[in-house]
Amino acid sequence: MSIENKVVLITGASSGLGEATARHLAERGAKLALAARRQDKLETIAEDLRAKGTEVEVIQTDVTDRAQVQTMVDRTVERFGRMDVIVNNAGLMAIAPMDEAKVDEWDKMIDINIKGVLYGIASALPVFRKQQSGHFINLSSVAGIKVFAPGGTVYSGTKYAVRAITDGLRAEVGGNIRTTSIEPGAVDSELKYGSSHEESSEAVQQFYQQAIPSDSVARAIAYAIEQPDEVDINEIVLRPTSQEF
Ligand code: NDP
């Protein structure tokens, strides 16, 4: 029942929930591979963690690129000799009414939030099969349980997809591979700045005034990881106590 020495790969580790999870798991003795596009941010976090004794690999990755995601997983296994957990966390929330037809942003959300997670699964699953152990932790949302509309229709669609894919994966790979879908409400991070539609962005900032700190999600992720191998925490829903949606 331990996190110590587990090798954990986190996508979207340069800010928000991913960064908080990296910092929390480092304190619990994990070895970390940190991935995102902003290498400078990852390096700063890594330097900080290394100074406290954590083994950290930084892997600049765009999760919308299948080859880069494969390299990300390969480099993790090369560095640490194994991979115990992949946290498919990278994400984008671009809120706008459907009438605005922000198709470019729909594409981006589908590419990052759905295809990025699938690429992570495709690359990690053979590693987990070979090891006969492994843990997928995928970031869905309360918007993956209830449609966040108007405005969040496509974002919700991507988070419903993550939840569906995670549960289907559980049914297919169970035995010795664990799957967890994390479904947070409003959590303080950079996510709230992802909307280009001004009115929606203002509404999001307003909604996020109740947000809880990102280490609340880090603790939920740690809880799923620290269970004994035969215990698979499949879903965790957490939101600010004051949040209705
Ligand atoms: P942030 O915006 O703070 O973090 C998003 C992370 O994803 C960043 O590290 C960013 O790094 C990374 N990222 C974005 N696009 C790509 C890409 N193409 N390739 C690689 N990395 C990418 O938001 P959060 O921390 O809040 O979000 C993390 C996850 O949690 C998301 O999936 C989000 O949907 C989910 N979530 C968040 C909630 C919240 O209220 N905050 C609630 C429910 C779910 P970089 O730009 O350096 O690539």
Side-chain angles (χ1 to χ4, degrees):
M1 280 183 64
S2 177
I3 290 173
E4 198 163 5
N5 289 324
K6 281 206 167 149
V7 176
V8 184
L9 166 60
I10 305 170
T11 71
S14 60
S15 67
L17 280 54
E19 176 182 353
T21 300
R23 291 185 183 280
H24 185 76
L25 295 179
E27 275 174 25
R28 307 282 304 270
K31 298 174 182 177
L32 299 171
L34 305 183
R37 293 165 305 179
R38 288 171 294 175
Q39 175 136 11
D40 53 335
K41 288 213 147 212
L42 292 177
E43 292 292 356
T44 305
I45 297 162
E47 277 315 306
D48 200 18
L49 298 181
R50 284 180 193 130
K52 295 174 189 155
T54 305
E55 285 183 51
V56 187
E57 182 79 2
V58 164
I59 312 168
Q60 186 178 33
T61 309
D62 183 336
V63 298
T64 67
D65 183 318
R66 168 84 181 95
Q68 288 188 37
V69 173
Q70 186 62 52
T71 302
M72 170 184 87
V73 168
D74 291 347
R75 274 189 49 195
T76 303
V77 175
E78 271 163 35
R79 163 77 191 261
F80 298 108
R82 59 182 291 108
M83 183 170 75
D84 298 298
V85 184
I86 182 167
V87 185
N88 286 305
N89 164 76
L92 171 70
M93 179 176 78
I95 304 294
M98 296 301 277
D99 279 326
E100 294 289 322
K102 290 197 175 277
V103 178
D104 287 354
E105 293 183 351
W106 299 352
D107 284 341
K108 274 191 195 153
M109 286 192 282
I110 289 165
D111 287 348
I112 300 168
N113 300 1
I114 305 179
K115 290 169 76 178
V117 170
L118 285 170
Y119 294 161
I121 292 168
S123 297
L125 186 53
V127 176
F128 291 169
R129 288 287 195 203
K130 199 167 158 205
Q131 291 175 173
Q132 296 191 15
S133 72
H135 192 167
F136 292 100
I137 300 183
N138 298 334
L139 265 293
S140 176
S141 167
V142 293
I145 303 171
K146 187 175 169 189
V147 180
F148 183 42
T153 301
V154 178
Y155 178 70
S156 266
T158 66
K159 294 300 175 180
Y160 268 73
V162 172
R163 192 160 151 248
I165 290 161
T166 308
D167 197 51
L169 184 67
R170 178 193 60 76
E172 288 198 37
V173 305
N176 45 29
I177 297 172
R178 304 193 291 180
T179 61
T180 304
S181 170
I182 306 281
E183 291 139 27
V187 179
D188 194 32
S189 73
E190 295 178 10
L191 197 77
K192 58 181 177 285
Y193 304 121
S195 310
S196 66
H197 183 251
E198 210 168 305
E199 214 175 294
S200 300
S201 186
E202 278 167 22
V204 169
Q205 316 289 326
Q206 188 68 28
F207 182 77
Y208 268 74
Q209 282 182 5
Q210 65 191 318
I212 50 177
S214 46
D215 68 342
S216 31
V217 176
R219 289 195 302 276
I221 289 174
Y223 172 74
I225 297 174
E226 74 187 349
Q227 299 306 311
D229 288 347
E230 68 273 23
V231 178
D232 190 2
I233 302 296
N234 299 128
E235 283 190 74
I236 300 179
V237 187
L238 70 153
R239 49 163 72 79
T241 309
S242 61
Q243 183 180 331
E244 188 273 324
F245 172 80

